[in-house]
Amino acid sequence: MFRNTYDSDNTVFSPQGRLHQVEYALEAVKQGSAAVGLRSKTHAILLALKRSTGELASYQQKMFRIDDHVGIAIAGLTSDARVLSNFMRQQAMSSRMIFNRPVPVNRLVSAIADKAQVNTQEYGRRPYGVGFLVIGQDEAGPHLYEFSPSGNSFEYYAMSIGARSQSAKTYLEKHYESFADASLDDLIRHGLHALRETLQQDKELNVNNTSIGIIGEPSNNEKAVATAFRILESEKVDPFLKTMIPKDTPAPAAAATQTGDEDVQMAG
């Protein structure tokens, strides 16, 4: 069966049980620039790679503050992200006005997941083409969630979404066991190293293309600030970029001999 027989409407399953329109929306998330999230016992952070459409254009916003205790990083269509972030702000505001308390982070993520899921089953609608990493803090401590256009949401110790995010995930999987007890400065350094893995070979992280979002106590590289969600950009990112460790030097001769021709092929 041809895919294009079943991909014109998101309410029609293919013979393999797939909804192609939803898969296209997930692909839109993979086309967006990368975002990385990590959490420890005391902090949750987001790091995002900003893109510019050209020399004359400013860098696109990648992070949004939802409430004092919640912030998001996006990958995908910024216009869809703006709609969903406004919905999240309304939910957060309603909780404060009606119940006089911050909205629980998991309830907020569930609310946007439910909203996105409706678009995957009603005729005449399209799925949202954006994915979120959501960080928040409540009585139980910091949290990190991923939201996808399919209506799924999961909690993570560390996660990456967007273009070349698999390279960042590989780094995070190697180091995530040390995140729980890490200081904020160490957590950000790990996040920057993971974000660096998503770059093209001729690119580098700098103060223009890097955003950092933090929830928790301020670090040594920050001035005294509140524990609420805050976004660091421009020159505020520079002290953290300076703490990055340069990429590993070539492996010792013994290791190079072991791998043989494979190293030559990879270098090419």
Side-chain angles (χ1 to χ4, degrees):
M1 296 291 182
F2 294 106
R3 168 180 283 228
N4 59 10
T5 310
Y6 297 95
D7 72 349
S8 60
D9 192 352
N10 61 5
T11 62
V12 178
F13 282 96
S14 75
Q16 291 79 32
R18 296 161 63 182
L19 292 172
H20 293 304
Q21 284 290 321
V22 175
E23 292 182 14
Y24 296 158
L26 294 171
E27 193 61 35
V29 177
K30 294 178 184 176
Q31 300 295 325
S33 57
V36 174
L38 307 86
R39 70 176 172 93
S40 66
K41 292 177 181 175
T42 55
H43 295 85
I45 66 167
L46 296 170
L47 304 99
L49 192 63
K50 295 189 290 185
R51 280 179 181 167
S52 172
T53 55
E55 295 285 333
L56 303 177
S58 62
Y59 284 82
Q60 200 165 33
Q61 186 178 358
K62 287 280 290 180
M63 289 188 191
F64 297 89
R65 178 183 172 277
I66 303 302
D67 201 349
D68 288 342
H69 67 301
V70 181
I72 63 172
I74 69 167
L77 296 177
T78 307
S79 51
D80 283 6
R82 198 164 55 245
V83 171
L84 286 173
S85 63
N86 285 337
F87 172 77
M88 293 174 75
R89 290 191 185 108
Q90 289 170 4
Q91 297 294 307
M93 192 188 312
S94 296
S95 178
R96 288 191 182 273
M97 293 183 68
I98 297 171
F99 302 109
N100 194 28
R101 66 166 189 177
V103 63
V105 186
N106 63 338
R107 185 172 298 174
L108 189 59
V109 175
S110 295
I112 56 166
D114 290 344
K115 184 177 175 66
Q117 196 278 332
V118 169
N119 281 24
T120 69
Q121 70 177 44
E122 288 190 359
Y123 181 81
R125 297 196 181 195
R126 67 161 176 83
Y128 291 104
V130 66
F132 289 169
L133 290 179
V134 183
I135 59 170
Q137 193 161 22
D138 55 25
E139 296 83 358
H143 298 279
L144 167 66
Y145 292 90
E146 182 209 8
F147 153 80
S148 73
S150 61
N152 284 327
S153 61
F154 299 97
E155 187 168 7
Y156 287 92
Y157 295 109
M159 187 57 183
S160 174
I161 59 174
R164 301 183 195 85
S165 58
Q166 187 56 51
S167 301
K169 284 180 196 171
T170 302
Y171 176 91
L172 296 171
E173 286 166 1
K174 286 181 183 175
H175 298 88
Y176 81 95
E177 291 179 351
S178 65
F179 295 165
D181 299 311
S183 67
L184 178 56
D185 287 336
D186 288 340
L187 203 62
I188 292 175
R189 184 161 56 249
H190 278 300
L192 288 170
H193 289 166
L195 192 64
R196 180 173 63 186
E197 297 295 318
T198 70
L199 290 169
Q200 297 174 4
Q201 288 185 347
D202 58 335
K203 303 289 185 183
E204 287 291 336
L205 294 178
N206 57 54
V207 295
N208 294 320
N209 66 8
T210 309
S211 290
I212 303 175
I214 304 171
I215 281 181
E217 296 291 336
S219 74
N220 298 331
N221 287 322
E222 286 185 280
K223 296 178 181 177
V225 292
T227 59
F229 178 75
R230 57 214 181 262
I231 299 173
L232 307 181
E233 293 181 320
S234 303
E235 67 278 355
K236 291 181 181 178
V237 175
D238 194 44
F240 297 102
L241 293 175
K242 288 177 179 175
T243 67
M244 291 179 68
I245 301 168
K247 283 198 172 182
D248 294 338
T249 52
T257 308
Q258 228 174 15
T259 53
D261 293 337
E262 288 177 10
D263 283 346
V264 179
Q265 290 172 4
M266 288 176 68

